Amino acid sequence: MKKVLVASVACITIFFISSAFYQKYDLAKSIERGKEVYTTYCITCHMEAGNSTPGVYPPLAKSDYLKKPIDTLIDIVLNGQTGEVVVNDTTYNGQMLPLNYLTDEQVADVLNYTRNSFGNKMKDPVLPEKVKVLRK
Ligand code: HEC
């Protein structure tokens, strides 16, 4: 009986410690900061509501493209995007220049913002550490 109790306490402790670590990344704050990054660096092409210009700039609003793996999205911001992309059943063939002058945090923030605005809702956060690894 005592062993079970000790095991339960250990499990609960581990659960709380790990959830504290997980919550260390404040997604809401990141989204807030990301809005500013978006307004400064993305809005000229992707427009205020992420609706973009039909046929020229693909939308970020309810974009099925944003459901792609986080690595792909980080890559687009860091290295740009050229060639054909299909977003919500429409093919675009334009050019987005690399925005590799943004910091790791800015890239993570702007993606957290776009992934949680304009009708998108994705709770798994894009972490700056991930951007750092992919930048190399
Ligand atoms: C100079 C204009 C321009 C700017 C600035 C720009 N983009 Fe783009 N973006 C494009 C174009 C054009 C494409 C499609 C490229 C293609 O056709 O291959 C694109 C594609 C994308 C895509 C993939 C397709 C989609 O619609 O989901 C994402 C995600 C994206 N941009 C995010 C961003 C973010 C975030 C920023 C700001 C950090 C940004 N873009 C800044 C022009 C721009």
Side-chain angles (χ1 to χ4, degrees):
M1 189 60 203
K2 207 172 175 189
K3 268 189 195 153
V4 175
L5 191 71
V6 170
S8 320
V9 170
C11 280
I12 291 166
T13 310
I14 289 166
F15 173 78
F16 275 108
I17 290 173
S18 53
S19 64
F21 267 110
Y22 187 71
Q23 282 168 6
K24 231 174 81 184
Y25 194 76
D26 192 334
L27 181 61
K29 281 260 161 64
S30 172
I31 293 170
E32 225 170 83
R33 290 190 302 265
K35 186 173 184 176
E36 257 173 60
V37 181
Y38 186 87
T39 314
T40 313
Y41 298 100
C42 321
I43 210 166
T44 41
C45 298
H46 292 286
M47 312 300 276
E48 202 162 344
N51 279 317
S52 303
T53 315
V56 185
Y57 300 119
L60 298 176
K62 297 196 178 97
S63 160
D64 58 4
Y65 209 88
L66 290 176
K67 292 190 184 120
K68 287 196 182 266
I70 285 174
D71 290 16
T72 308
L73 302 177
I74 293 174
D75 184 65
I76 289 176
V77 176
L78 288 178
N79 302 315
Q81 160 74 47
T82 51
E84 285 194 355
V85 280
V86 181
V87 184
N88 299 343
D89 300 324
T90 304
T91 304
Y92 296 84
N93 195 349
Q95 183 179 22
M96 174 171 151
L97 295 173
L99 289 127
N100 50 12
Y101 42 84
L102 298 179
T103 65
D104 296 340
E105 191 175 61
Q106 282 176 316
V107 174
D109 290 345
V110 81
L111 285 174
N112 284 326
Y113 173 69
T114 43
R115 279 161 48 89
N116 289 285
S117 306
F118 327 127
N120 307 305
K121 192 136 198 74
M122 281 161 258
K123 283 200 170 147
D124 52 325
V126 178
L127 301 172
E129 290 78 16
K130 193 98 207 233
V131 181
K132 190 176 181 171
V133 171
L134 290 173
R135 193 188 282 276
K136 286 169 190 161

